[in-house]
Amino acid sequence: MLHSRIFQFNPLGTNCAVLWEDGQEACALVDPGMSSPDGAQDLFDFLQEKGLKPDAILLTHGHFDHVWGVERVLEKYTVPVYMHPADKDILQQISLSFPGAESLSFLKHNFPTVDIADGEVLTTGGTQMKVIHTPGHTPGCVCYYSADNNLLLSGDTLFAGSIGRTDLGGGDYDRLMDSLLHKVLVLPDDTDVIPGHGQPTNIGHEAMTNPFLQPFNEPDEE
């Protein structure tokens, strides 16, 4: 059984998920966005309490609020950081995710990443996670999907009742809607969703009630 613990970090309330299987010491960290030493300590205390040790960091995209705490994790654990290569510019140029913030050097990040591709399967936290490339919010946005556990980590592609914004550097509304229609909504209705911000949801609920997705639910004209 896959377990998850969600932390909300930084002023933007980014969801960081810890994922681990029963009887496993290894765990995956998804989007460690802690912006303070206290936030990092909360995460590390939890890992110690549960007897867990990260074996990978999974990034859904390169925006600063999702990567804010990566260096803090790497100072303590030697783990690969997986990210789609299309977001490398966003990771290194803070102005693409925070307009006018070029002078905020503390938001800049330059840690090494391991490239991932659409359809690739990663084994982390004792389970397999499929990479689903869902460009739109950013060019390199991905979701991580565990079919065995009926779970999707959707990052900022899909939220409970909303979708990712597309007005930042690299954003593309048409690509986002294409990603949602052809790669996300096709998953089973009972797939649980942990988004990048806000409350968990599931695919069926969003397909039926999310106002941004309703046009795709209209019956075909005869």
Side-chain angles (χ1 to χ4, degrees):
M1 178 180 179
L2 185 68
H3 299 275
S4 65
R5 169 69 158 85
I6 303 172
F7 291 84
Q8 286 193 330
F9 289 131
N10 71 56
L12 298 181
T14 301
N15 288 335
C16 167
V18 183
L19 306 174
W20 73 99
E21 286 276 5
D22 279 328
Q24 295 282 335
E25 178 187 49
C27 67
L29 299 182
V30 183
D31 291 350
M34 54 277 198
S35 58
S36 70
D38 288 345
Q41 194 59 54
D42 286 345
L43 174 62
F44 298 150
D45 287 348
F46 173 79
L47 296 178
Q48 183 176 12
E49 174 190 339
K50 294 293 186 180
L52 299 173
K53 183 178 180 180
D55 65 358
I57 293 174
L58 309 182
L59 299 181
T60 60
H61 60 294
H63 279 159
F64 75 95
D65 56 314
H66 291 254
V67 307
W68 216 332
V70 169
E71 285 94 344
R72 297 182 190 275
V73 176
L74 295 180
E75 289 174 359
K76 191 173 180 66
Y77 302 100
T78 302
V79 296
V81 181
Y82 293 101
M83 187 184 76
H84 194 283
D87 266 15
K88 287 186 177 180
D89 287 344
I90 287 176
L91 184 67
Q92 297 170 4
Q93 299 179 41
I94 187 60
S95 61
L96 294 177
S97 60
F98 196 139
E102 293 86 348
S103 63
L104 302 179
S105 60
F106 66 90
L107 293 180
K108 295 180 181 179
H109 301 273
N110 195 29
F111 48 79
T113 58
V114 178
D115 292 349
I116 53 177
D118 186 48
E120 184 174 352
V121 177
L122 306 175
T123 300
T124 174
T127 193
Q128 291 188 327
M129 304 295 292
K130 181 180 179 181
V131 176
I132 303 177
H133 184 207
T134 54
H137 178 62
T138 68
C141 254
V142 302
C143 299
Y144 296 100
Y145 176 56
S146 173
D148 291 340
N149 296 284
N150 245 22
L151 179 67
L152 182 76
L153 285 300
S154 65
D156 286 5
T157 295
L158 177 67
F159 302 123
S162 188
I163 61 174
R165 60 188 295 181
T166 57
D167 59 330
L168 300 173
D172 187 317
Y173 177 81
D174 290 336
R175 292 191 77 189
L176 177 61
M177 297 310 294
D178 184 71
S179 294
L180 287 163
L181 177 61
H182 295 108
K183 292 188 173 183
V184 176
L185 293 186
V186 295
L187 297 175
D189 285 349
D190 61 351
T191 301
D192 293 320
V193 177
I194 297 177
H197 302 268
Q199 298 301 309
T201 183
N202 66 61
I203 292 296
H205 181 75
E206 295 309 311
M208 294 302 297
T209 66
N210 190 312
F212 294 91
L213 304 177
Q214 288 310 295
F216 300 130
N217 291 318
E218 294 176 358
D220 293 333
E221 294 182 3
E222 296 183 0

